Amino acid sequence: MTYQPGRHFLQIPGPSNTPLPVLAAVAKPTIDHRGPEFGRLGLEVLTGIRTIFKTSKPVIIYPASGTGAWEAALVNTLSPGDKVLMFETGWFATLWNKMAKRLGIKAEFITGDWRSGVDAAAIEARLREDKSHAIKAVAVVHNETSTGVTSDIPAVRRAIDGAGHPALLMVDTISSLGSIDYRHEEWGVDVTVGGSQKGLMLPPGLSFNAISDKALAASKTARLPRSFWDWEEMLATNQKGFFPYTPSTNLIQGLKVAIDLLHEEGLDNVFARHDRAAEATRRCVQHWDLEIQCRNPSEYSSSLTAVRLPEGHSADNLRAEILSRFNMSLGNGLGPLSDKVFRIGHLGDFHDLMVTGVLSGVEMGLRICRIPHRLGGVEAAMNYLSGNTGQVAQAAE
Ligand SMILES: Cc1ncc(COP(=O)(O)O)c(C=O)c1O
């Protein structure tokens, strides 16, 4: 491919754009991962990452993509044949469910419509039926990246408690951590799964398990085979800031800077900035008269918006056109949504002008591909962004 001048717009819903200070930290020379400098860095990031998950308990850092941390959550806490209750929010919930089955877990899947979040009432009803407490864990995705739907995790916690059920609660926050408010400890989550490449603004390659005391206790008797993912050895070596095997040294250098950047901005401001980009995007999409994949406004995602194309139009063709003409990558439709939706990532290192730039590229693409839409969506986004310098609730038109 010939060189395309100007900056590439990486607007997939993760990996997101990596800010320069983080890139610079990743590009620094690799240090000895068993030396004193790394020990200090390790302790700093292992403590710092807890503030992002909002927990006072340990967070494990793996040199792996998010899929690895999914596996780690399951194999550290469960035994062969254990039952797990999951909810079909979309593609990523489906993949986690498939993984659980491959690992020898009996994974039940409550059917969803790929347009809504987790139905906490359905979880509660199923747990109430489970009088013998055969279900050992409830595992759900906080922000379903394939659909742009965010689920109410405290409601899931209440459902488990309401049923008086002892199941562990596991939550995937791969596309919400650092973008959408999340509280591991306050919400009573036992294992939270995270990844580096989205709200944390790092390249892919690190993933996380934030663990509760209850999950740690479960790991003492869990019998699924595990070695690389084993929490015990990790926790032991992490005490002094080290890892049982070679960590992703350079990504950990970047992680320290990413955590600092998030705190410098303030987590609440980070979340408000994501809410604002998402709201501007939705106003634009709604003005175009295109449909948002997420059905329920209370479940709209602040890290991405999935947009449905009218029948007979190809989302993949639109994305290809936008990539070749405007040097912008948008997310594709996954599984049954393939070619039917495109996804706009508005997460990570992102500001207002990037929002309008992205939306302009999409609006021009719609024209080029002759996809029916009402002109002026970008203007609707600009009206919102220029009339509102702070909170979403103060929106002015
Ligand atoms: C919600 C969610 N869960 C899990 C994954 C899988 O993570 P990875 O691709 O980093 O292995 C992704 C990836 O996009 C995701 O968005």
Side-chain angles (χ1 to χ4, degrees):
M1 191 178 143
T2 51
Y3 174 70
Q4 281 185 289
R7 209 178 202 293
H8 177 67
F9 270 54
L10 181 67
Q11 298 312 143
I12 56 177
S16 64
N17 296 288
T18 306
L20 286 176
V22 175
L23 276 181
V26 172
K28 284 202 311 196
T30 304
I31 60 173
D32 171 11
H33 63 283
R34 305 207 194 275
E37 188 183 350
F38 188 89
R40 285 190 292 275
L41 173 68
L43 284 177
E44 219 174 325
V45 295
L46 286 160
T47 311
I49 193 66
R50 295 182 185 195
T51 62
I52 308 297
F53 283 92
K54 297 192 178 166
T55 180
S56 59
K57 298 283 160 30
V59 178
I60 306 267
I61 306 177
Y62 292 109
S65 83
T67 303
W70 265 350
E71 182 161 338
L74 299 172
V75 298
N76 275 287
T77 53
L78 299 168
S79 298
D82 275 356
K83 276 193 180 169
V84 170
L85 184 61
M86 297 172 130
F87 195 95
E88 185 196 8
T89 43
W91 180 250
F92 291 101
T94 302
L95 289 185
W96 202 10
N97 176 264
K98 278 189 186 150
M99 171 191 273
K101 287 182 183 153
R102 275 194 223 128
L103 291 171
I105 293 162
K106 291 198 180 101
E108 269 186 52
F109 212 22
I110 302 179
T111 309
D113 63 1
W114 290 51
R115 300 195 71 171
S116 326
V118 175
D119 178 353
I123 301 256
E124 181 164 347
R126 180 63 192 93
L127 292 179
R128 279 184 190 280
E129 281 170 20
D130 180 37
K131 303 263 185 265
S132 65
H133 297 166
I135 296 172
K136 299 299 177 202
V138 172
V140 295
V141 176
H142 181 214
N143 187 70
E144 178 52 73
T145 325
S146 61
T147 60
V149 175
T150 306
S151 288
D152 182 349
I153 300 304
V156 178
R157 176 74 263 168
R158 286 194 298 275
I160 299 172
D161 294 345
H165 200 288
L168 295 168
L169 173 58
M170 300 191 194
V171 181
D172 169 341
T173 62
I174 288 175
S175 61
S176 53
L177 189 76
S179 301
I180 300 169
D181 190 20
Y182 183 79
R183 307 170 190 201
H184 173 87
E185 203 156 275
E186 188 185 320
W187 293 354
V189 180
D190 293 300
V191 188
T192 300
V193 174
S196 57
Q197 73 271 31
K198 307 201 189 223
L200 287 182
M201 309 178 290
L202 283 159
L206 292 181
S207 56
F208 310 93
N209 275 178
I211 55 185
S212 71
D213 288 341
K214 188 172 161 188
L216 193 58
S219 75
K220 306 289 179 208
T221 52
R223 286 179 290 100
L224 275 173
R226 58 188 194 261
S227 170
F228 183 81
W229 307 115
D230 192 43
W231 288 344
E232 199 171 343
E233 265 193 290
M234 271 284 195
L235 290 172
T237 44
N238 282 176
Q239 293 285 338
K240 293 203 160 86
F242 296 106
F243 290 77
Y245 39 76
T246 313
S248 295
T249 315
N250 291 55
L251 289 180
I252 286 180
Q253 290 170 182
L255 178 59
K256 179 191 149 19
V257 176
I259 294 169
D260 288 347
L261 289 180
L262 289 170
H263 285 307
E264 224 171 87
E265 185 176 352
L267 282 177
D268 288 344
N269 294 328
V270 171
F271 303 145
R273 176 167 56 75
H274 282 76
D275 291 345
R276 182 176 157 82
E279 178 65 22
T281 302
R282 289 191 296 267
R283 286 183 186 222
C284 177
V285 172
Q286 282 158 345
H287 184 97
W288 287 331
D289 261 342
L290 294 181
E291 211 181 330
I292 293 171
Q293 178 68 15
C294 177
R295 238 194 257 282
N296 183 356
S298 68
E299 295 178 323
Y300 281 151
S301 167
S302 286
S303 52
L304 78 135
T305 301
V307 183
R308 293 169 68 87
L309 281 198
E311 209 56 54
H313 293 272
S314 162
D316 289 347
N317 182 48
L318 172 69
R319 288 187 314 104
E321 209 52 58
I322 290 171
L323 176 61
S324 75
R325 299 252 196 157
F326 306 119
N327 198 8
M328 175 162 73
S329 296
L330 295 166
N332 63 330
L334 292 165
L337 302 180
S338 171
D339 206 25
K340 292 184 177 11
V341 309
F342 67 93
R343 295 173 298 146
I344 303 172
H346 32 71
L347 73 168
D349 190 37
F350 201 56
H351 66 42
D352 287 0
L353 276 190
M354 293 165 81
V355 177
T356 54
V358 170
L359 297 173
S360 309
V362 177
E363 189 159 322
M364 290 189 284
L366 293 171
R367 284 189 206 185
I368 291 163
C369 294
R370 298 179 188 283
I371 293 166
H373 66 288
R374 184 152 56 106
L375 293 180
V378 178
E379 200 157 339
M382 288 195 298
N383 286 342
Y384 170 73
L385 292 171
S386 58
N388 166 26
T389 52
Q391 300 299 312
V392 168
Q394 295 162 2
E397 271 212 295

